[in-house]
Amino acid sequence: MAWIFHRSPQLWSAVRHLSPHRTISFTPTTRLPPADLHGLFLTWRSGQSEASCRKLHSGAGMSEPSPAAAPERLPFSQVTQEDLVFFKKILPGRTITDPDLLESSNVDWLKTVRGSSEVLLRPQTTEEVSQILSYCNSRNLAVNPQGGNTGLVGGSVPVYDEIILSTALMNNILTFDRISGILTCQAGCVLENLSLYLEERDYIMPLDLGAKGSCHIGGNVATNAGGLRLLRYGSLRGTVLGLEVVLADGRVLDCLATLRKDNTGYDLKQLFIGSEGTLGFITAVSILCPRKPKSVNVIFLGCETFEQLLQTFQLCRGMLGEILSAFEFLDSECMRLLVTHLKLPNPITECPFYVVIETSGSDPTHDQQKLHNFLEEAMASSLVSDGTVATEDSKIKTLWSMRERVTEALTHEGFTYKYDISLPVERIYQLVTDMRTHLGGRAKSVVGYGHVGDGNLHLNITSPAKDPALLAAIEPFIYEWTASCQGSISAEHGLGLKKRNYIYYSKPSQAVALMGNIKAMLDPKGILNPYKTLPDKLK
């Protein structure tokens, strides 16, 4: 069922009795790879301080390398024929050296970072990973952990000739407890496959990503991926109960617990969640999965101002409470791109802002009543000017596509500078407004969309082609603006290669230094995912 409503006397009958007011023709769409991208890969050098980064991006010295490019290669060993003999003995038929087969693993999803690795290793067991890392550590060979290679900050591909250690064949589900909902699986399990497995057993994964058809759960954990369900189920730091990790020297750290409560000493698994493969290689995960909701509704609303959108969010949280699972937004510029480039019809009348709300519950009657009460209040309070509701799967996918396909639409605009920022909720759109004012006519378009529920803005700035002058105007303005609000320059995609030297905009030097100490303790030779996450030079 799908129905549309307007702020009029006829609305109330439709809302109260679920009677269709107007039916829209929907075209079901499938989800695309991650829509919320950011950053730009240029050329840079090591040892760049924060001060010089600021000078560079303010426009001065544009001939200098960018802080977002790769540093000089560190003095790691190079792979020899003897090394290949060892790897082939451990992984017969799973040691890949064919350049054609290596191509896709050497290039990131955005095709902005390209490595030159000559070896791809595909282990199937934790023991094989242990033997490989023990050997690489003794030989001082750098290793690049890789899952589904859907990362967005250059963290999942080699920078130089690092050995690619893939989880692709580590894809077994180990156990599932139907009573507790705890799933234990190898790190290479594809997120969508896990979702399908769980749905057959009346459960779901606690995270949902646009890249779910190709991303691996180990990579999700290693980057602490966010996604559309974070508002309801929280981050992976709360839902991951245990990890099995192989350390740089080959030691296996078995913290694969399945307990909801365990306060025995330090919670070591948290070190590896979000560490982007720089501290250890995740081989297995235990994760708490929620029950599959029996009732799902998606609402698409229009608001005249962002203040009204925020008030709608407040009202939504208060009236929908336990059934609210997502609250997303996009602006009118996003809608223009969707209509112009993808020919997606706007399901409601034109508005400056649009909201996608999802509810998930166990009682359809109860959920619909709460939903209708919320809609009545939102319309009566003039917070919402128009909207539509979908309860059927195909129509739900169509409404979600208005949010998820924005990045696809942006690809038709030219070159896009993409940023993933976390801010206090009341400030998230002010950055878009201030950026438009700051750039004036230098940008083709400045659009904003993201997760209102967790203050995550995806800011996209387009130009006909790469424009160094435009980039100099964007950075460091965007990072300084974010830092002034005590925000995060990387909300849900990590730092990887592209953002590592910007870490000081969000973290104090003492914290970064401690991160460096932890890295040195767990990986003293620095062989795990070098050139990623930590800055080239610690303060």
Side-chain angles (χ1 to χ4, degrees), residues 35-39 152-153 223-224 226-227 403 417-423 431 449-451 454-460 478-479 482 487-495 499 506:
D36 313 326
L37 318 177
H38 70 286
L152 306 174
V153 289
T223 57
N224 191 28
R403 160 65 176 84
Y417 297 88
K418 298 173 177 291
Y419 298 90
D420 166 45
I421 304 296
S422 182
L423 295 164
L431 175 55
Y449 60 96
H451 320 289
D454 44 63
N456 185 184
L457 170 70
H458 299 294
L459 176 65
N460 292 255
I478 187 171
Y479 297 131
T482 301
S488 169
I489 65 166
S490 187
E492 62 179 359
H493 295 316
L495 295 168
K499 283 190 172 183
S506 293

Side-chain angles (χ1 to χ4, degrees), residues 1-5 18-20 22-28 294-301 325 347-348 355-360 364 367-368 371-372 375 387-402:
M1 176 189 297
W3 42 279
I4 196 162
F5 51 87
L18 276 175
S19 310
R22 177 161 64 86
T23 301
I24 303 172
S25 297
F26 290 92
T27 303
K294 299 185 184 319
S295 169
V296 177
N297 301 283
V298 171
I299 318 149
F300 194 83
L301 306 175
S325 54
I348 62 176
V355 176
V356 182
I357 301 172
E358 181 185 78
T359 63
S360 304
D367 296 351
Q368 289 171 4
L371 179 60
H372 297 160
L375 292 174
T388 182
V389 176
T391 58
E392 296 176 3
D393 286 345
S394 63
K395 297 174 176 59
I396 285 174
K397 289 179 180 178
T398 299
L399 290 186
W400 264 120
S401 71
M402 306 306 294

Side-chain angles (χ1 to χ4, degrees), residues 89-409:
K89 181 179 179 180
I90 296 177
L91 306 178
R94 292 177 282 130
T95 299
I96 312 300
T97 56
D98 185 331
D100 292 336
L101 298 178
L102 278 162
E103 173 66 18
S104 62
S105 296
N106 263 312
V107 183
D108 75 323
W109 183 78
L110 292 175
K111 301 192 184 330
T112 56
V113 181
R114 181 180 296 273
S116 55
S117 176
E118 298 179 350
V119 185
L120 167 64
L121 304 179
R122 306 181 77 189
Q124 293 178 320
T125 67
T126 300
E127 177 57 29
E128 289 175 345
V129 174
S130 175
Q131 292 181 60
I132 291 166
L133 287 183
S134 176
Y135 180 85
C136 289
N137 190 63
S138 67
R139 282 274 296 116
N140 196 36
L141 291 167
V143 176
N144 182 92
Q146 187 175 95
N149 196 14
T150 58
L152 306 174
V153 289
S156 59
V157 294
V159 176
Y160 293 105
D161 56 348
E162 301 92 88
I163 293 169
I164 302 172
L165 188 57
S166 170
T167 59
L169 299 183
M170 303 184 70
N171 54 10
N172 292 319
I173 294 173
L174 304 177
T175 63
F176 177 64
D177 189 327
R178 290 175 179 265
I179 297 176
S180 66
I182 297 172
L183 173 76
T184 303
C185 63
Q186 288 185 297
C189 289
V190 174
L191 180 58
E192 186 170 38
N193 293 343
L194 293 177
S195 296
L196 294 173
Y197 173 89
L198 290 170
E199 285 179 11
E200 293 176 354
R201 292 155 178 80
D202 208 29
Y203 280 83
I204 61 172
M205 287 295 288
L207 73 160
D208 186 18
L209 307 173
K212 66 181 179 181
S214 52
C215 65
H216 297 180
I217 187 63
N220 297 150
V221 174
T223 57
N224 191 28
L228 302 172
R229 290 177 177 165
L230 192 141
L231 175 63
R232 176 69 172 272
Y233 302 117
S235 75
L236 288 172
R237 293 195 178 279
T239 55
V240 170
L241 302 179
L243 293 177
E244 180 185 72
V245 182
V246 180
L247 301 179
D249 61 4
R251 287 178 296 165
V252 178
L253 180 64
D254 185 358
C255 292
L256 202 59
T258 57
L259 299 174
R260 293 289 302 276
K261 290 185 175 181
D262 182 7
N263 286 331
T264 312
Y266 304 131
D267 189 2
L268 295 179
K269 70 175 182 294
Q270 294 294 343
L271 280 176
F272 304 97
I273 300 174
S275 67
E276 302 185 82
T278 62
L279 300 181
F281 188 97
I282 296 172
T283 53
V285 178
S286 63
I287 188 166
L288 180 65
C289 304
R291 289 296 298 269
K292 181 180 178 180
K294 299 185 184 319
S295 169
V296 177
N297 301 283
V298 171
I299 318 149
F300 194 83
L301 306 175
C303 296
E304 294 299 321
T305 67
F306 197 74
E307 179 59 33
Q308 289 178 339
L309 186 151
L310 292 178
Q311 291 178 28
T312 301
F313 175 54
Q314 287 291 89
L315 183 67
C316 186
R317 287 201 300 178
M319 297 189 69
L320 297 181
E322 76 285 356
I323 66 171
L324 178 63
S325 54
F327 193 104
E328 304 283 308
F329 92 97
L330 56 150
D331 62 15
S332 58
E333 273 292 283
C334 293
M335 182 60 73
R336 179 186 66 80
L337 298 176
L338 292 168
V339 173
T340 302
H341 299 304
L342 304 184
K343 309 304 179 186
L344 295 180
N346 185 343
I348 62 176
T349 56
E350 291 187 7
C351 297
F353 297 97
Y354 301 91
V355 176
V356 182
I357 301 172
E358 181 185 78
T359 63
S360 304
S362 58
D363 185 340
T365 302
H366 167 268
D367 296 351
Q368 289 171 4
Q369 185 60 55
K370 290 179 74 73
L371 179 60
H372 297 160
N373 291 343
F374 160 71
L375 292 174
E376 279 193 345
E377 181 64 27
M379 298 294 280
S381 302
S382 298
L383 297 179
V384 172
S385 57
D386 199 5
T388 182
V389 176
T391 58
E392 296 176 3
D393 286 345
S394 63
K395 297 174 176 59
I396 285 174
K397 289 179 180 178
T398 299
L399 290 186
W400 264 120
S401 71
M402 306 306 294
R403 160 65 176 84
E404 293 185 315
R405 297 186 68 185
V406 173
T407 286
E408 181 187 359

